[in-house]
Amino acid sequence: MSEEFSLVTEASVANWQHSTDIVVVGLGCAGAAAAIEATNVGGQVIVLERASSGGGTSALSGGVIYLGGGTPLQKACGFEDSPDEMYKYMVASCGDKADPERIRAYCDGSVEHYRWFLDQDVPFKPVFYPHYSGEPPNEDGLVFSGSENAHPFNQLAIPAPRGHVPQTEGQAGGLLMRKLIGAVKASHAEIQTDTRVEHLIASSDGRIIGVMARCAGETHTIRASRGVILSAGGFINNKAMLQTHAPLLRKCKFRVGAEGDDGSGIRLGTAAGALAIGLEMGSISLPIIPPKSVLRGIMVNAQGQRFINEDVYYGRLGEYALYRADGRAFLILDERTFVRPEVPREVVAVGETIEELERELGLPRGSLEATLTLYNQHAQKSEDPVFNKASEYVTPLLHPPFGALDCTTENSLYAVFTLGGLKTNVHGQALNADDVPIPGLYAAGRTSASLAAPGYSSGISIGDATFFARRAASHALNS
Amino acid sequence: MSEEFSLVTEASVANWQHSTDIVVVGLGCAGAAAAIEATNVGGQVIVLERASSGGGTSALSGGVIYLGGGTPLQKACGFEDSPDEMYKYMVASCGDKADPERIRAYCDGSVEHYRWFLDQDVPFKPVFYPHYSGEPPNEDGLVFSGSENAHPFNQLAIPAPRGHVPQTEGQAGGLLMRKLIGAVKASHAEIQTDTRVEHLIASSDGRIIGVMARCAGETHTIRASRGVILSAGGFINNKAMLQTHAPLLRKCKFRVGAEGDDGSGIRLGTAAGALAIGLEMGSISLPIIPPKSVLRGIMVNAQGQRFINEDVYYGRLGEYALYRADGRAFLILDERTFVRPEVPREVVAVGETIEELERELGLPRGSLEATLTLYNQHAQKSEDPVFNKASEYVTPLLHPPFGALDCTTENSLYAVFTLGGLKTNVHGQALNADDVPIPGLYAAGRTSASLAAPGYSSGISIGDATFFARRAASHALNS
């Protein structure tokens, strides 16, 4: 069969050009973590990266790592946390398809995993950034990067900030990857760039024993005696796969992903019999902050109704806006609360009365008025019994002119990447449809299904990518 | 590899015990249609059914077939329709993942497909059932079985009833399957019951050339020179697959499916390299009618808000209630509109005032009152500009006592089956991840991905199952 990425059998391999313990496919944060972990305990590693240099989507990201359970950074910033509270939050927030067993392992190992980043010389400034949830604009090291403080999660788990951010101004993914790739280069791992893995190779008994990779017009066979780790990203840049599996995500304007996020890692895995799950899911961020004070507005849908407490993390806000409101959302503010968000959002309508604003927005007659009347009635007492927005953001919207910021998918920024991928267990082993590990095959990062499914908090991707990649490397060498 | 359902290669087949043109796996309506079509043009067919007799989920169903474009039955009942209007409705209603090309083929071939049912001696009484959308309780042959008359679909396509129902009292699936299985038995197709297909068999060049099936403790190999058609149902009765792919569906109380709907057809296909898509999707029916007059109530979520025009088809109502309202829904009626639905639904709260009802239901203070105030304000003029419910169902709810019918997933009937499955083209060929047909492999019915994805109207399953099964049989014999 000539299917792209199809599995090749050992019998058809004439000779092996290279041999190693572990082949790592893709040098984003997961691939780097796997290589570092394996070489640390003496394993031989070849890392294959199709781009001219490593980094992948990780290097383009904010660099936030979701960690907790009482890390030294949390303690230095004066926050208490425990693996149990972290677990409660993640299980509650990570969506219907999240795997509690993997979440448990992740929370229990989180403090150790933080120390591992320190070992890789990743710096964290022990200062908490208090101004909003998300990626801090300065060098501060700790931030809320989820909905921990928002209803209902603040009722289910003691909130703690868990966004651990490498110390640099602005987007920290570049620094993070410089440090991790530096550690790989300092190890005895071999990195081959400009090399594209085209096929996995299986032994006659079904074990994955190597890869066929193309570099400079030639095909190479590389034997991996301990296993192959697929860490080649997601598929946000594969239009056909998006259309087939997650067409709604195509509505989002800003795709977060390196060119390599074309699903090739997932395809290599499924061609080898691994099960892909949750391919319909994405992380969908609708940033309306900073500044945080914009949360005093109310978000309404095409029926003029609120649909969420506006102070949830912008990842959750985006999911609700896309999945439940069809990407038709407007943020309503009055004269006293109006503020222009830093992420550009157009003022799409202004009215001297709510009725006028409603008409300008094309909302059903009386709908926005009814919503605001109810909201204001409770807001007089700083309460929001309908959606339970935190009282600090609840204030009556009474003072004209009223304005609406455009938060529709058509006209505003929704940042999206895929969360679905190969199903893995706590050891990072890729599982088949019977939930049985495929010998020799591992997956990590967005080639594997995320811990969040969807229910995203920032830092989960780099977090689960590095955490389970390390486990994969360790399992491959020790099993 | 010992994976369940794994593909077996020809080399490992010692001898073929049987040989035929086409093997059909599963004798529901799709399997029957394939067998009838193939034998009609002289093809040899062996149908393998794991139960002791055929019928499958089709026999347990309401037997509605979604057909249109101007069928003789539609004309006899005085309705105009065209393939174009049918196409417009289906494209608009069948969800984000629906395949326009397959819908187009289905609509264009619908009148001929209706005649095919007549050829199989399936009777349709030329009487339109006007009282509600769904399955008629009497022998009437034509009914609305979707949201054609509801907003926004009535703005996008000229409504026509397309639910074609075999003539019998009550559930018509049994009659339909007696007729179809009768036609199979009258053909020269061979039916083997109590026979479970365990593996597909592939030639060395990747063509599917037969099956290994188990019957009475023995394994048989059956060669299929023209192809294998997988028509073995969906996976609503496979808890592990549901948990992995569609955990939300587990909340629904009533699973529509024969025991065989355990995903084995899908698993056989994916083990052969076919792509499964949309496994998260289900048809989710929340029947509140009959009687139709219950639609004068309003459906609210846990925030006391309406979330849909209540007069949409109960399939769409269920999807919105589960996916957008977390399965927390209540139907609010007043003294003048109150009526007890025929599908049992408990009165979960009663109040002399809206405030009292709101409190009884645990809804946020003032929320239901705000919703009703807005609704009643427009309803005075028989209008519903917020959700565009048809004016015949719009009447102010003013007269105490007020009551709420429980429409939550916890306490009420949601009927569910899976819509995801193997990706197929207009010929019923199973496609791999490159969208390339797998030679010799076909899928139909709920083993394949539905035309609706989700966006269900009743009759689409039996409709697409029989339609594309016929095409599959024809393609297998002629290609």
Side-chain angles (χ1 to χ4, degrees), chain B residues 374-421:
Chain B
L374 178 64
Y375 179 77
N376 285 340
Q377 174 190 321
H378 293 298
Q380 304 284 6
K381 293 172 281 179
S382 297
E383 291 176 359
D384 175 25
V386 183
F387 285 98
N388 298 289
K389 182 162 67 169
S391 60
E392 66 182 292
Y393 307 117
V394 178
T395 182
L397 304 174
L398 295 164
H399 305 282
F402 301 94
L405 295 172
D406 195 333
C407 299
T408 62
T409 43
E410 302 95 287
N411 300 321
S412 76
L413 186 143
Y414 282 61
V416 65
F417 58 90
T418 59
L419 292 177

Coordinates of all heavy atoms in Angstrom, one line a residue, chain B residues 374-421:
Chain B
L374 N -39.6 39.1 29.1 CA -39.3 39.4 27.7 C -40.1 38.5 26.7 O -40.6 39.0 25.7 CB -37.8 39.1 27.5 CG -37.3 39.4 26.0 CD1 -37.4 40.8 25.6 CD2 -35.8 38.9 25.9
Y375 N -40.2 37.3 27.1 CA -41.0 36.4 26.2 C -42.4 36.8 26.1 O -43.0 36.9 25.0 CB -40.9 34.9 26.7 CG -41.7 33.9 25.9 CD1 -41.2 33.5 24.7 CD2 -42.9 33.4 26.3 CE1 -41.8 32.5 24.0 CE2 -43.6 32.5 25.6 CZ -43.1 32.1 24.4 OH -43.8 31.1 23.6
N376 N -43.0 37.1 27.3 CA -44.5 37.5 27.3 C -44.7 38.8 26.5 O -45.7 39.0 25.9 CB -45.0 37.6 28.7 CG -45.2 36.2 29.3 OD1 -45.3 35.2 28.6 ND2 -45.2 36.1 30.6
Q377 N -43.7 39.7 26.7 CA -43.9 41.0 26.1 C -44.0 40.9 24.5 O -44.9 41.4 23.9 CB -42.6 41.8 26.4 CG -42.4 43.1 25.8 CD -41.0 43.6 26.1 OE1 -40.4 43.4 27.2 NE2 -40.3 44.2 25.1
H378 N -43.2 40.0 24.0 CA -43.4 39.8 22.5 C -44.5 38.8 22.2 O -45.2 39.0 21.2 CB -42.1 39.1 22.0 CG -40.9 40.0 22.0 ND1 -40.9 41.2 21.3 CD2 -39.7 40.0 22.7 CE1 -39.7 41.8 21.5 NE2 -39.0 41.1 22.3
A379 N -44.8 37.9 23.1 CA -45.8 36.9 22.9 C -47.2 37.6 22.8 O -48.1 37.0 22.1 CB -45.8 35.8 23.9
Q380 N -47.4 38.7 23.4 CA -48.6 39.4 23.3 C -49.0 39.7 21.9 O -50.1 39.8 21.5 CB -48.6 40.8 24.0 CG -48.2 40.8 25.5 CD -49.3 40.3 26.4 OE1 -50.3 39.9 26.0 NE2 -49.0 40.3 27.7
K381 N -47.9 39.8 21.0 CA -48.1 40.0 19.6 C -47.8 38.8 18.8 O -47.6 38.8 17.6 CB -47.2 41.2 19.1 CG -47.6 42.5 19.7 CD -46.6 43.6 19.4 CE -45.4 43.5 20.3 NZ -44.3 44.5 20.1
S382 N -47.8 37.6 19.5 CA -47.5 36.3 18.9 C -46.2 36.3 18.2 O -46.0 35.7 17.2 CB -48.6 35.9 17.9 OG -49.8 35.8 18.6
E383 N -45.3 37.1 18.8 CA -43.9 37.2 18.2 C -42.9 36.6 19.1 O -43.0 36.6 20.3 CB -43.6 38.6 17.9 CG -44.4 39.2 16.7 CD -44.1 40.7 16.5 OE1 -43.2 41.2 17.3 OE2 -44.7 41.3 15.7
D384 N -41.8 36.1 18.5 CA -40.7 35.6 19.3 C -39.4 36.0 18.6 O -38.7 35.2 18.0 CB -40.7 34.1 19.4 CG -39.5 33.5 20.1 OD1 -38.8 34.3 20.9 OD2 -39.2 32.3 19.9
P385 N -39.1 37.3 18.6 CA -37.9 37.8 17.8 C -36.6 37.2 18.4 O -35.5 37.3 17.7 CB -37.9 39.3 18.0 CG -38.7 39.5 19.2 CD -39.7 38.4 19.3
V386 N -36.6 36.7 19.6 CA -35.3 36.2 20.2 C -34.9 34.9 19.6 O -33.8 34.7 19.2 CB -35.4 36.2 21.7 CG1 -34.1 35.8 22.3 CG2 -35.8 37.5 22.3
F387 N -35.9 33.9 19.6 CA -35.5 32.6 19.0 C -36.4 32.2 17.8 O -36.2 31.1 17.3 CB -35.6 31.6 20.1 CG -34.4 31.6 21.1 CD1 -34.5 32.3 22.3 CD2 -33.2 31.1 20.7 CE1 -33.4 32.4 23.1 CE2 -32.1 31.1 21.6 CZ -32.2 31.8 22.8
N388 N -37.3 33.0 17.5 CA -38.1 32.8 16.3 C -38.9 31.5 16.3 O -39.0 30.8 15.3 CB -37.2 32.8 15.0 CG -36.6 34.2 14.9 OD1 -37.3 35.2 14.5 ND2 -35.3 34.3 15.2
K389 N -39.5 31.2 17.4 CA -40.5 30.1 17.4 C -41.6 30.5 16.6 O -42.0 31.6 16.5 CB -40.9 29.8 18.9 CG -41.8 28.6 19.0 CD -41.9 28.1 20.4 CE -42.5 29.1 21.4 NZ -42.8 28.4 22.7
A390 N -42.2 29.5 15.9 CA -43.4 29.8 15.0 C -44.5 30.4 15.8 O -44.8 29.9 16.9 CB -43.8 28.5 14.3
S391 N -45.2 31.4 15.2 CA -46.2 32.1 16.0 C -47.3 31.3 16.6 O -47.9 31.6 17.6 CB -46.7 33.3 15.2 OG -47.4 32.8 14.0
E392 N -47.6 30.1 15.9 CA -48.7 29.3 16.4 C -48.4 28.7 17.8 O -49.3 28.3 18.5 CB -49.0 28.2 15.4 CG -47.9 27.2 15.3 CD -48.2 26.1 14.2 OE1 -49.1 25.2 14.5 OE2 -47.5 26.1 13.2
Y393 N -47.1 28.7 18.2 CA -46.8 28.2 19.5 C -46.5 29.3 20.5 O -46.0 29.0 21.6 CB -45.6 27.3 19.4 CG -45.8 26.2 18.4 CD1 -44.9 26.0 17.3 CD2 -46.8 25.2 18.6 CE1 -45.1 25.0 16.4 CE2 -47.0 24.2 17.6 CZ -46.1 24.1 16.6 OH -46.3 23.1 15.6
V394 N -46.6 30.6 20.1 CA -46.2 31.7 20.9 C -47.5 32.3 21.6 O -48.3 32.9 20.9 CB -45.5 32.7 20.1 CG1 -45.1 33.9 21.0 CG2 -44.2 32.1 19.5
T395 N -47.5 32.1 22.8 CA -48.6 32.7 23.6 C -48.1 33.1 25.0 O -47.2 32.4 25.5 CB -49.8 31.6 23.7 OG1 -50.9 32.2 24.4 CG2 -49.3 30.4 24.5
P396 N -48.5 34.2 25.5 CA -48.0 34.6 26.8 C -48.3 33.6 27.9 O -49.3 32.9 27.9 CB -48.8 35.9 27.1 CG -49.3 36.4 25.8 CD -49.6 35.1 25.0
L397 N -47.3 33.4 28.8 CA -47.5 32.5 29.9 C -47.7 33.3 31.1 O -46.7 33.8 31.7 CB -46.2 31.6 30.0 CG -45.8 30.8 28.8 CD1 -44.5 30.1 28.9 CD2 -46.9 29.8 28.4
L398 N -48.9 33.5 31.5 CA -49.3 34.5 32.5 C -50.1 34.0 33.6 O -50.2 34.6 34.7 CB -50.1 35.6 31.8 CG -49.5 36.5 30.7 CD1 -50.5 37.2 29.9 CD2 -48.5 37.4 31.4
H399 N -50.6 32.8 33.5 CA -51.7 32.3 34.4 C -51.2 31.3 35.4 O -50.9 30.2 35.0 CB -52.8 31.8 33.6 CG -53.3 32.8 32.6 ND1 -54.1 33.9 32.9 CD2 -53.1 33.0 31.3 CE1 -54.3 34.7 31.9 NE2 -53.7 34.1 30.8
P400 N -51.2 31.6 36.6 CA -50.7 30.7 37.6 C -51.8 29.5 37.8 O -52.9 29.8 37.5 CB -50.6 31.5 38.9 CG -51.5 32.7 38.7 CD -51.5 32.9 37.2
P401 N -51.3 28.4 38.3 CA -50.0 28.1 38.7 C -49.1 27.8 37.5 O -49.5 27.4 36.5 CB -50.1 26.8 39.6 CG -51.3 26.2 39.0 CD -52.3 27.3 38.6
F402 N -47.8 28.1 37.7 CA -46.8 27.8 36.7 C -46.1 26.4 37.0 O -46.0 26.1 38.2 CB -45.7 28.9 36.6 CG -46.3 30.2 36.3 CD1 -46.7 31.1 37.3 CD2 -46.5 30.6 35.0 CE1 -47.2 32.3 37.1 CE2 -47.1 31.8 34.7 CZ -47.5 32.7 35.7
G403 N -45.7 25.7 36.0 CA -45.1 24.4 36.3 C -43.9 24.2 35.4 O -43.7 24.8 34.4
A404 N -43.1 23.3 35.8 CA -41.9 23.0 35.0 C -41.8 21.5 34.9 O -41.9 20.7 35.8 CB -40.6 23.5 35.8
L405 N -41.6 21.0 33.6 CA -41.4 19.6 33.3 C -39.9 19.4 33.3 O -39.1 20.2 32.7 CB -42.0 19.3 32.0 CG -43.5 19.4 31.9 CD1 -44.0 19.2 30.4 CD2 -44.2 18.3 32.8
D406 N -39.5 18.3 33.9 CA -38.1 18.0 34.0 C -37.5 17.4 32.7 O -38.0 16.4 32.2 CB -37.9 16.9 35.1 CG -36.5 16.8 35.6 OD1 -35.6 17.1 34.8 OD2 -36.3 16.4 36.7
C407 N -36.6 18.1 32.1 CA -36.0 17.7 30.8 C -34.5 17.6 31.0 O -33.7 17.8 30.1 CB -36.3 18.7 29.7 SG -38.1 18.8 29.3
T408 N -34.1 17.2 32.2 CA -32.7 17.1 32.5 C -32.2 15.7 32.1 O -33.0 14.7 32.1 CB -32.3 17.2 34.0 OG1 -33.0 16.2 34.7 CG2 -32.8 18.6 34.5
T409 N -31.0 15.5 31.7 CA -30.4 14.2 31.4 C -30.6 13.2 32.6 O -30.8 12.1 32.4 CB -29.0 14.3 31.0 OG1 -28.2 15.1 31.9 CG2 -28.8 14.8 29.6
E410 N -30.4 13.8 33.8 CA -30.5 12.9 35.0 C -31.9 12.2 35.1 O -32.0 11.1 35.5 CB -30.3 13.7 36.3 CG -28.9 14.4 36.3 CD -29.1 15.9 35.9 OE1 -29.3 16.1 34.7 OE2 -29.1 16.8 36.8
N411 N -32.9 13.0 34.8 CA -34.2 12.5 35.2 C -35.2 12.3 34.1 O -36.4 12.0 34.3 CB -34.9 13.5 36.2 CG -34.1 13.7 37.4 OD1 -33.5 12.7 38.0 ND2 -34.0 14.9 37.9
S412 N -34.7 12.4 32.8 CA -35.7 12.3 31.8 C -35.1 11.6 30.6 O -33.9 11.3 30.5 CB -36.2 13.7 31.4 OG -35.3 14.4 30.6
L413 N -36.0 11.3 29.6 CA -35.6 10.5 28.5 C -34.9 11.3 27.4 O -35.4 12.2 26.8 CB -36.8 9.8 27.9 CG -36.5 8.8 26.8 CD1 -37.5 7.6 26.9 CD2 -36.6 9.4 25.4
Y414 N -33.6 10.9 27.2 CA -32.9 11.4 26.0 C -32.5 10.1 25.3 O -31.9 9.2 25.8 CB -31.5 12.0 26.4 CG -31.6 13.5 26.9 CD1 -32.3 13.8 28.0 CD2 -30.9 14.5 26.2 CE1 -32.4 15.1 28.5 CE2 -31.0 15.8 26.7 CZ -31.7 16.1 27.8 OH -31.7 17.4 28.3
A415 N -32.9 10.0 24.0 CA -32.7 8.8 23.2 C -31.4 9.1 22.4 O -31.3 10.1 21.7 CB -33.8 8.5 22.3
V416 N -30.5 8.2 22.4 CA -29.2 8.5 21.8 C -28.7 7.3 21.0 O -28.8 6.1 21.4 CB -28.2 8.9 22.9 CG1 -27.9 7.8 23.8 CG2 -26.9 9.4 22.3
F417 N -28.0 7.6 19.9 CA -27.2 6.6 19.2 C -26.0 7.3 18.5 O -26.1 8.5 18.4 CB -28.0 5.7 18.2 CG -28.7 6.4 17.1 CD1 -28.1 6.7 15.9 CD2 -30.0 6.8 17.3 CE1 -28.8 7.4 14.9 CE2 -30.7 7.5 16.3 CZ -30.1 7.8 15.1
T418 N -25.0 6.6 18.1 CA -23.8 7.2 17.6 C -24.0 7.5 16.1 O -24.6 6.8 15.4 CB -22.6 6.3 17.8 OG1 -22.8 5.1 17.2 CG2 -22.3 6.1 19.3
L419 N -23.4 8.6 15.7 CA -23.4 9.0 14.3 C -22.0 8.9 13.6 O -21.9 9.0 12.4 CB -23.9 10.5 14.1 CG -25.4 10.7 14.5 CD1 -25.7 12.2 14.4 CD2 -26.3 9.9 13.7
G420 N -21.0 8.8 14.4 CA -19.7 8.7 13.8 C -19.3 7.3 13.3 O -20.0 6.3 13.7
G421 N -18.4 7.2 12.4 CA -18.0 5.9 11.9 C -17.0 6.1 10.7 O -16.4 7.1 10.6

